[in-house]
Amino acid sequence: MTDLPLVEALPMTPTVDPDRFRSLMSTFPSGVAVVTVTDPDGRPRGMTCSSVCSVTLDPPTLLVCARSLSPTLHAMLKTEQFTVNLLHAHARDTAELFASGAADRFDRVRWSARPAYGGPHLVEESHSVADCRVARTVEAGDHIVVFGEVYGIEWCAPAVPLLYGLRAYSSWRPGTEPS
């Protein structure tokens, strides 16, 4: 096995126009999550995120990407934990709410928080929830990639995920063939 150097910061030298890149990535659908955390002052924070990916099973680790200026990201880094709420097919309104930046977003959804959670659980809007500890971060342009080691999982509803692609929300029902 070759020892490869770790890369801490990725250089950002755009080779294509950002709008063209956005159009390209819109053709690659992904699941939709709301990443939540309780900040050091006890306030819930959260953001819609489609940049979620599993990294490794041992230890169970996933990654999320957040804008460098995000208040949710800053709370994640201060508390060193967060929760990933994987939204179900009927949670489009919640995805849009948490993408909007509305100050009252936590007043408009049911959520629960416990000391053992990484952040608020959106149990009515999620099919599954993962609580994570921040394991490391990597700077990537105007975003920070946060690697989270999963220490808790909760299943809330049958796993019919909300998807986002082609600049629209949709869902994928198990056992169905694409048209």
Side-chain angles (χ1 to χ4, degrees), residues 19-30 164-168:
D19 289 332
R20 284 194 69 177
F21 182 67
R22 183 179 292 117
S23 291
L24 168 74
M25 293 312 298
S26 76
T27 66
F28 187 71
S30 62
Y164 188 78
L166 299 173
R167 297 187 178 140

Side-chain angles (χ1 to χ4, degrees), residues 42-123:
R43 290 179 303 221
R45 302 279 185 179
M47 64 183 190
T48 298
C49 184
S50 59
S51 298
V52 177
C53 174
S54 65
V55 177
T56 179
L57 294 175
D58 189 16
T61 304
L62 53 77
L63 67 76
V64 299
C65 299
R67 277 183 314 101
S68 298
L69 300 177
S70 164
T72 301
L73 171 66
H74 288 266
M76 290 165 57
L77 299 178
K78 283 186 178 185
T79 63
E80 299 182 336
Q81 62 184 3
F82 61 97
T83 293
V84 176
N85 296 273
L86 301 177
L87 300 186
H88 60 63
H90 301 292
R92 176 183 175 166
D93 290 346
T94 299
E96 291 173 343
L97 174 64
F98 278 81
S100 74
D104 67 342
R105 64 190 119 188
F106 281 96
D107 295 334
R108 296 165 58 185
V109 296
R110 252 191 81 218
W111 54 279
S112 64
R114 295 186 183 146
Y117 291 172
H121 286 202
L122 307 180
V123 293

Side-chain angles (χ1 to χ4, degrees), residues 22 37 40-41 46 65 93 98 105 113 129 131 143 147 156 166 178:
R22 183 179 292 117
V37 61
D41 296 326
C65 299
D93 290 346
F98 278 81
R105 64 190 119 188
V129 177
D131 292 301
H143 278 62
F147 292 83
C156 309
L166 299 173

